[in-house]
Amino acid sequence: QLQLVESGGGLVQPGGSLRLSCTASGFTLDYYTLGWFRQAPGKEREGVSCIGSNGGPTKYADSVKGRFTISRGNAKTTVYLQMNSLKPEDTAIYYCAAVPTTVRLCVLRRGLYDYWGRGTPVTVSS
């Protein structure tokens, strides 16, 4: 059974950077669509970025486009979210998610993802 564990969150000043990691156990992730979502206090969980199955393209929310980068690790068990130029509004718990599929295009819709990590908190504050 696939399990996902996020790491790399923490406290960072505005303009700073963090790299989040999500590591899978049980399966490799090359034929999974992978996504990063976040949830701020009092708000719904929203899609941040996703990367398609089997070399599929990436997608980013408008709010993070140009600042965040999603990528797969060489070991096929990890997905990363590089976050640069962080803003206070990026403060949230960040979750990774995965779903097995042969469809290469990814969609930032919570209901499409079968597996979820427990989240890692990110706080952007001076």
Side-chain angles (χ1 to χ4, degrees):
Q1 188 173 6
L2 179 65
Q3 291 183 285
L4 302 172
V5 180
E6 304 96 336
S7 63
L11 175 64
V12 64
Q13 292 185 338
S17 298
L18 284 174
R19 189 194 194 197
L20 305 184
S21 299
C22 176
T23 300
S25 61
F27 298 93
T28 58
L29 297 173
D30 46 345
Y31 285 91
Y32 284 72
T33 288
L34 305 173
W36 285 96
F37 295 77
R38 67 186 182 186
Q39 188 166 21
K43 295 186 177 181
E44 289 187 49
R45 192 171 300 186
E46 64 176 353
V48 176
S49 182
C50 60
I51 186 167
S53 176
N54 193 25
T58 59
K59 184 180 295 183
Y60 298 92
D62 289 341
S63 59
V64 307
K65 196 171 186 178
R67 300 188 297 121
F68 290 12
T69 303
I70 190 171
S71 62
R72 294 177 181 271
N74 293 333
K76 300 182 180 180
T77 57
T78 306
V79 61
Y80 301 103
L81 184 68
Q82 178 66 46
M83 306 186 296
N84 299 325
S85 302
L86 284 163
K87 304 175 180 179
E89 52 262 43
D90 295 319
T91 297
I93 299 175
Y94 283 72
Y95 301 86
C96 65
V99 58
T101 181
T102 58
V103 177
R104 295 189 177 189
L105 299 179
C106 70
V107 178
L108 285 170
R109 186 183 301 164
R110 291 172 294 174
L112 296 178
Y113 293 82
D114 292 337
Y115 303 98
W116 291 83
R118 295 186 182 275
T120 185
V122 172
T123 302
V124 184
S125 177
S126 59

